[in-house]
Amino acid sequence: MNAGPSARPWLFTGRPGAVGRSVWRASHDDSPDAVLFDRDGTLVVDVPYNGDPSRVLPRPGAAAALARLRSLGIAVGVVSNQSGVARRLLTRGQIQAVHHRIDLLLGPFAVWAVCPHGPDDGCGCRKPAPGLVLAACARLGARPSRTVVIGDIGSDMAAARAAGARGVLVPTPATLPAEVADAPRTAADLPTAVALALDPSFRAPVAAGRSGGDAP
């Protein structure tokens, strides 16, 4: 796939009722407008180029972390690199089938933002570029500076910084030590990451940082 610099991400709208309410935000000025999660390795166990819904397995703590955000009326979305499409290993239909399974297990999600391009396609959406984060924020009406991105590798954190959002890294065995050292915040698990996202003292960066690691 020859994406070109103007290529756009795929956006999938979530189920009705998935967009956050304003009750919490109305009385807590420092709460995030939205929290965006990386998919593979963060919300679900990483299965490379997975197009099989039966192989979807939620990461520990994912359901509890998402439930807390939804109980506070904060919209949650997913931002995911899926270069298997560009590599002709995945189809749009398979991506949607996997998302449907994740939505049944962990949803509802307000938006799914997917980059279908490869590392050499020159798109602006593939993390560590900011395009997925910005597209998800635009769809939700969320301010990037009041959005938190939670992921497991450096490119998730770099995409957050490049978009002017906040980032929380939840390391896994696949996370590089340099990515942990470069992260603005780290958390041992997803519930802790959400607690950090809700902490009023956790502010958005003033400038983009280093690009960090790559993603599938």
Side-chain angles (χ1 to χ4, degrees), residues 22-66:
S22 60
V23 175
W24 170 264
R25 292 194 296 275
S27 58
H28 295 76
D29 290 342
D30 290 319
S31 67
D33 288 354
V35 178
L36 305 176
F37 291 83
D38 171 59
R39 197 190 86 175
D40 303 316
T42 301
L43 283 180
V44 299
V45 173
D46 186 14
V47 177
Y49 309 121
N50 183 32
D52 182 355
S54 70
R55 301 184 71 187
V56 171
L57 180 66
R59 293 275 300 163
L66 292 163

Side-chain angles (χ1 to χ4, degrees), residues 2-133:
N2 184 12
S6 63
R8 296 181 179 181
W10 291 348
L11 290 176
F12 303 94
T13 302
R15 281 191 276 151
V19 177
R21 304 181 309 275
S22 60
V23 175
W24 170 264
R25 292 194 296 275
S27 58
H28 295 76
D29 290 342
D30 290 319
S31 67
D33 288 354
V35 178
L36 305 176
F37 291 83
D38 171 59
R39 197 190 86 175
D40 303 316
T42 301
L43 283 180
V44 299
V45 173
D46 186 14
V47 177
Y49 309 121
N50 183 32
D52 182 355
S54 70
R55 301 184 71 187
V56 171
L57 180 66
R59 293 275 300 163
L66 292 163
R68 183 178 183 189
L69 291 170
R70 294 187 185 112
S71 73
L72 298 173
I74 296 172
V76 293
V78 180
V79 287
S80 179
N81 287 357
Q82 293 296 325
S83 70
V85 176
R87 303 175 198 271
R88 303 185 184 277
L89 299 172
L90 293 172
T91 65
R92 186 184 181 100
Q94 287 175 311
I95 295 291
Q96 289 179 290
V98 169
H99 287 176
H100 179 68
R101 178 60 178 166
I102 296 172
D103 196 68
L104 289 176
L105 294 172
L106 296 174
F109 295 94
V111 67
W112 299 79
V114 175
C115 173
H117 310 120
D120 301 321
D121 284 339
C123 70
C125 53
R126 179 179 166 80
K127 296 178 288 184
L132 288 182
V133 176

